[in-house]
């Protein structure tokens, strides 16, 4: 299966698309994100899709609907479409 290997950089986070919505029939996208740990990204609102984060290693503070959630290695969090996250 072809992969999009072009990296994007947002707020100091390197993002690589491993599977696109087109490749999954619009079901989901899969990104690998890496940072040096000292990064902040803007708070997005995704109107057309949900987002799930799985922490392979490290830690992350995710804000969903103005509530902060702490994630560490092995944690997972779901962010529904239309909700500021």
């Amino acid at each position: 299966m072809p992969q999009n290997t072009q990296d994007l950089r947002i707020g100091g986070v390197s993002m690589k698309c491993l599977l696109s919505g087109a490749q999954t029939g619009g079901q989901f996208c899969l990104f690998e994100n890496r940072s040096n740990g000292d990064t902040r990204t803007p708070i997005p609102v995704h109107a057309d899709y949900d987002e799930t984060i799985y922490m392979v290693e490290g830690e992350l503070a995710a804000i969903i609907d103005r509530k902060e959630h702490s994630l560490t290695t092995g944690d997972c969090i779901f962010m529904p479409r239309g909700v500021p996250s």
Side-chain angles (χ1 to χ4, degrees):
M1 181 177 316
Q3 295 181 357
N4 176 2
T5 57
Q6 180 177 354
D7 282 352
L8 299 148
R9 292 202 59 82
I10 299 174
V13 176
S14 174
M15 303 172 68
K16 184 189 321 183
C17 182
L18 302 177
L19 286 172
S20 69
Q23 292 172 298
T24 64
Q27 295 297 306
F28 68 95
C29 298
L30 178 63
F31 282 86
E32 174 183 276
N33 296 358
R34 295 182 178 266
S35 89
N36 65 8
D38 187 25
T39 58
R40 293 184 72 84
T41 57
I43 297 175
V45 177
H46 302 296
D48 298 327
Y49 56 89
D50 302 323
E51 184 174 352
T52 300
I53 294 176
Y54 175 77
M55 291 298 297
V56 174
E57 68 179 83
E59 57 187 52
L60 168 78
I63 299 171
I64 303 171
D65 201 17
R66 291 178 248 144
K67 295 180 186 107
E68 186 170 315
H69 304 267
S70 295
L71 283 79
T72 59
T73 301
D75 288 342
C76 182
I77 194 163
F78 176 75
M79 297 176 288
R81 70 191 78 198
V83 175
S85 55

